[in-house]
Amino acid sequence: ETGVTQTPRHLVMGMTNKKSLKCEQHLGHNAMYWYKQSAKKPLELMFVYSLEERVENNSVPSRFSPECPNSSHLFLHLHTLQPEDSALYLCASSQHYRGGNTGELFFGEGSRLTVL
Amino acid sequence: GESVGLHLPTLSVQEGDNSIINCAYSNSASDYFIWYKQESGKGPQFIIDIRSNMDKRQGQRVTVLLNKTVKHLSLQIAATQPGDSAVYFCAENEVSGGGADGLTFGKGTHLIIQP
């Protein structure tokens, strides 16, 4: 049972749809992340929130919009996506953003997104 | 090119044998290294980590070796079991300089266990 829960696990959407991915962490962590995982590519960091404030936005297209209402919840709002956005979207959390053994991320099981 | 990479995309081993998965990195300033395991249909799971002031660290059936001279990292799995089938990622971070967002992942090696 992972401490990071993502919903939905699978999502199929058209290019004109608006949908959201949800992530919840039950670990009391201060930092949360969105990663994109495409076939045969390394994990790509999209967004980082530390104590509910966005600290990193790695040049992600505006059709992806994150929201972090509190330290336990993270959303990724999707609109006007392209077929190349089809991927596994992974949420992760860490105890801290800086300090300690930064890098020990706890991942959710991912949301498999297919854009038609 | 990538700052972190793996030598082989797929590694096939016999059940019961030892497995060695290799990883090369290029950032000399990296001081923290991690191995993750990702089973099919699941998210990556932390296995073991090592700081740059160490060259070896052991866990349960796993050992990570770090050679800073040649910037090489390896994961050794003893007595490989069917449950070890997964994709293994190495990752590096320059902890002293930043946060967890500095973590850089390799592409991964798919470990296949032959019965």
Side-chain angles (χ1 to χ4, degrees):
Chain A
E1 177 71 29
T2 178
V4 180
T5 305
Q6 289 188 243
T7 55
R9 293 293 310 278
H10 300 273
L11 177 63
V12 180
M13 59 187 289
M15 291 190 285
T16 58
N17 292 156
K18 288 185 180 182
K19 298 286 185 183
S20 296
L21 305 180
K22 179 183 175 182
C23 177
E24 183 175 1
Q25 58 99 356
H26 317 276
L27 302 168
H29 287 168
N30 292 326
M32 296 187 76
Y33 310 76
W34 280 116
Y35 280 89
K36 177 182 179 182
Q37 186 174 40
S38 304
K40 300 182 180 179
K41 285 186 177 181
L43 284 168
E44 300 173 59
L45 179 64
M46 300 175 72
F47 300 103
V48 181
Y49 278 83
S50 176
L51 298 172
E52 301 154 45
E53 288 192 13
R54 189 191 302 184
V55 296
E56 186 74 27
N57 174 358
N58 282 0
S59 302
V60 179
S62 59
R63 56 185 184 269
F64 295 91
S65 174
E67 179 189 1
C68 187
N70 55 62
S71 60
S72 298
H73 292 86
L74 186 65
F75 295 89
L76 187 62
H77 303 300
L78 316 169
H79 63 97
T80 326
L81 293 192
Q82 305 298 311
E84 60 264 28
D85 296 323
S86 298
L88 182 68
Y89 288 85
L90 289 161
C91 174
S93 70
S94 64
Q95 187 166 13
H96 301 293
Y97 167 63
R98 290 180 183 267
N101 288 343
T102 49
E104 185 172 358
L105 300 176
F106 292 77
F107 285 88
E109 302 207 324
S111 294
R112 173 70 63 186
L113 173 66
T114 303
V115 181
L116 301 176
Chain B
E2 277 184 72
S3 79
V4 179
L6 293 167
H7 293 310
L8 291 173
T10 303
L11 176 65
S12 183
V13 298
Q14 292 288 328
E15 184 178 347
D17 287 353
N18 297 334
S19 302
I20 300 176
I21 301 171
N22 295 306
C23 180
Y25 65 95
S26 58
N27 184 1
S28 299
S30 292
D31 53 12
Y32 180 57
F33 304 87
I34 309 158
W35 282 99
Y36 280 90
K37 172 186 180 183
Q38 186 173 21
E39 296 177 74
S40 180
K42 295 187 176 181
Q45 182 181 18
F46 174 93
I47 301 174
I48 192 169
D49 59 359
I50 189 169
R51 284 194 168 270
S52 58
N53 60 353
M54 302 173 69
D55 52 23
K56 180 179 180 179
R57 190 166 187 218
Q58 288 185 293
Q60 188 177 12
R61 276 200 313 118
V62 295
T63 301
V64 56
L65 298 176
L66 175 63
N67 185 331
K68 295 180 287 294
T69 303
V70 296
K71 295 197 280 289
H72 183 268
L73 188 71
S74 68
L75 177 71
Q76 300 179 1
I77 305 173
T80 313
Q81 303 169 358
D84 295 327
S85 289
V87 176
Y88 291 81
F89 299 91
C90 65
E92 62 171 326
N93 202 2
E94 193 181 333
V95 172
S96 57
D101 60 316
L103 193 64
T104 303
F105 289 86
K107 286 184 181 178
T109 292
H110 185 192
L111 180 64
I112 298 171
I113 312 303
Q114 304 284 357

